[in-house]
Amino acid sequence: MTQKPSVHLDTVLQHTGTADFDPVTGAAPVALPPVRTSTVRFKNLDALQQAAEGKARGERSVTYGRIGMDTHAALEQVFCELEGSERAFLASSGLGAITLALFSVLNSGDHVLVADCAYGPVRYLDKTVLSRMSIDVNYCRGTVEAMAAQLKPTTRVLYVESPGSLLFEMLDMPALARFAHEHGLIVITDNTWGAGYIYRPLDLGADISVVAGTKYVGGHSDLMLGAVMANDPTLVRRINDTHYAMGYSISADDAWLAIRGVRTLAIRLKQAADNALKICEFFASRPETQRIFHPAWPDDAGHALWLRDCTGSNGMLSVALSLDEAASRRFVDSLTLFGIGFSWGGFESLVQWVDPSALGGHGYWQDGAHSVIRLHIGLENPQDLIDDLAQALARATA
Ligand SMILES: *Cc1c(COP(=O)(O)O)cnc(C)c1O
């Protein structure tokens, strides 16, 4: 199908990756089947050679099943549409996508500045692997001033995430990108929160965007997936080569599930965002609430940046409560509609009791006395969720 350039992303997401018509019958299913393969067969040696030449030029040319055939290509196209990128590369998890992005651009001896609001396991990657490869990492607030203060002659990458993990700190992406480019640095950003739909960091100047498709793209808490997107041909080439060299690969079934999930991304995000605002209103009315972290909430410190840079929101929010540790744990344990679990972006509500040690490294967190609860607001009826939160607060404070 030829895509009209003027159609909206919502429309594109319904028409990307549908099955082609059978040339003989002129018929097709709507959904592309999951094309599972390890071996790619060729009609003759000429066809194989053409594929190998395309691959050598860095094109998406398949000689072997690892990078995947039609289903994978369709999902890559989905991510390109979402992020406004030239190419997308798939990894078997969001964290895998982060390692792909970093390994594509870093050499030993390089220095990386990581925004301290980034997804926690990035620190574990640093501690266990990057340090062993003599890659030097520093953490600081995701602001131009903080990053400028830590710049070294060996700095090569700014690794950021906006809004950040746990407290959803909005970063000024255009300012960070300008600063980075003045100093010849590459900006890698984790766009799992935005899923390429409500926030498009490549349009705002970032060089590489990483998305955990595990979250809102998949949308049903049933698959692990990551993707790395870029536009610059040199970067694309480096990611392409690293992706191949390192053997990143996902199953056709997971690609299929992600394509199926993304059809409803727009309406799921909108509903989750509407529900989350209702939950913010509820918390704002409660005496236990010290602060609400949700950039679409007017009192959030990042609200102005959110208004400027985002086109929507999602179901993620955190709330600082004036409960001691035991009471905040009682609150979490008393919830009946919120699953206690990591991850988010599915259809269901989740709660995480945020370990104070995880917040310790966030410069944005300045109120250590309170307990922080992170919620993922799902697609349940919001009044039911509010009733559940209210009864759990009553038990916590009883
Ligand atoms: C969950 C998450 C990841 C990692 O994704 P996985 O698929 O679970 O590996 C990366 N970044 C952010 C912001 C996340 O929330």
Side-chain angles (χ1 to χ4, degrees):
M1 158 181 286
T2 43
Q3 211 92 60
K4 295 181 196 70
S6 61
V7 300
H8 294 87
L9 187 51
D10 314 46
T11 306
V12 171
L13 292 178
Q14 310 314 318
H15 293 270
T16 302
T18 50
D20 285 337
F21 291 113
D22 182 293
V24 176
T25 63
V30 174
L32 189 67
V35 177
R36 304 173 55 99
T37 194
S38 59
T39 306
V40 179
R41 286 190 302 139
F42 289 89
K43 193 159 79 176
N44 52 41
L45 284 173
D46 268 357
L48 169 57
Q49 192 182 332
Q50 266 183 32
E53 284 169 5
K55 180 167 151 281
R57 287 191 297 270
E59 293 162 11
R60 191 191 199 293
S61 188
V62 187
T63 56
Y64 185 56
R66 206 184 287 122
I67 79 159
M69 299 187 80
D70 311 37
T71 327
H72 294 68
L75 179 58
E76 287 165 20
Q77 188 57 36
V78 164
F79 276 109
C80 288
E81 302 287 0
L82 283 172
E83 294 280 326
S85 72
E86 285 297 318
R87 290 284 299 272
F89 299 89
L90 304 175
S92 58
S93 69
L95 189 54
I98 292 170
T99 66
L100 170 59
L102 289 171
F103 293 158
S104 294
V105 296
L106 288 172
N107 301 309
S108 66
D110 284 346
H111 175 236
V112 189
L113 275 172
V114 175
D116 63 9
C117 61
Y119 182 60
V122 172
R123 293 178 195 245
Y124 189 73
L125 170 71
D126 168 22
K127 194 171 72 176
T128 54
V129 180
L130 298 182
S131 59
R132 202 154 43 74
M133 301 170 95
S134 303
I135 289 164
D136 181 20
V137 181
N138 281 119
Y139 301 86
C140 62
R141 283 291 297 281
T143 62
V144 170
E145 304 77 63
M147 293 203 152
Q150 299 224 32
L151 213 55
K152 297 183 187 184
T154 50
T155 309
R156 180 159 169 81
V157 167
L158 296 190
Y159 182 90
V160 300
E161 180 178 322
S162 177
S165 278
L166 301 180
L167 301 175
F168 314 107
E169 177 185 4
M170 282 297 306
L171 306 187
D172 189 342
M173 191 67 70
L176 287 166
R178 269 195 306 277
F179 163 75
H181 297 151
E182 278 163 17
H183 293 87
L185 312 177
I186 296 165
V187 179
I188 303 177
T189 188
D190 184 329
N191 192 28
T192 300
W193 183 95
Y197 189 79
I198 51 177
Y199 190 51
R200 309 234 303 178
L202 295 180
D203 291 350
L204 299 173
D207 300 296
I208 299 177
S209 182
V210 170
V211 170
T214 307
K215 308 287 170 56
Y216 278 116
V217 173
H220 296 76
S221 304
D222 54 8
L223 73 104
M224 303 296 298
L225 172 69
V228 178
M229 279 63 62
N231 280 319
D232 174 76
T234 310
L235 286 178
V236 164
R237 186 65 203 242
R238 288 193 69 142
I239 301 166
N240 182 70
D241 293 349
T242 308
H243 185 261
Y244 187 75
M246 302 283 285
Y248 288 94
S249 184
I250 77 164
S251 86
D253 295 321
D254 285 341
W256 188 91
L257 279 171
I259 293 169
R260 179 170 166 142
V262 86
R263 305 290 185 207
T264 54
L265 176 70
I267 57 168
R268 283 187 285 107
L269 282 171
K270 185 170 186 321
Q271 190 64 46
D274 286 353
N275 289 358
L277 276 182
K278 295 199 171 91
I279 304 301
C280 288
E281 276 164 26
F282 163 75
F283 276 115
S285 76
R286 293 291 308 207
E288 300 87 353
T289 301
Q290 295 299 321
R291 190 164 164 190
I292 294 168
F293 298 92
H294 181 72
W297 179 246
D299 292 341
D300 187 275
H303 188 62
L305 284 176
W306 177 80
L307 282 172
R308 188 191 72 185
D309 292 345
C310 300
T311 56
S313 179
N314 64 26
M316 295 303 292
L317 66 99
S318 285
V319 56
L321 297 171
S322 58
L323 300 177
D324 63 18
E325 178 170 336
S328 65
R329 286 178 169 276
R330 210 152 54 237
F331 169 67
V332 170
D333 284 339
S334 303
L335 291 166
T336 62
L337 295 178
F338 292 77
I340 298 174
F342 296 109
S343 198
W344 42 271
F347 49 84
E348 81 290 19
S349 288
L350 294 168
V351 59
Q352 187 192 340
W353 185 84
V354 179
D355 196 311
S357 69
L359 286 172
H362 288 230
Y364 189 57
W365 173 242
Q366 280 152 5
D367 202 359
H370 303 299
S371 299
V372 174
I373 306 295
R374 190 190 76 177
L375 298 171
H376 172 251
I377 306 304
L379 304 177
E380 297 91 343
N381 180 291
Q383 190 56 50
D384 291 342
L385 296 177
I386 288 168
D387 293 346
D388 194 30
L389 293 164
Q391 67 76 26
L393 274 177
R395 278 172 196 263
T397 53

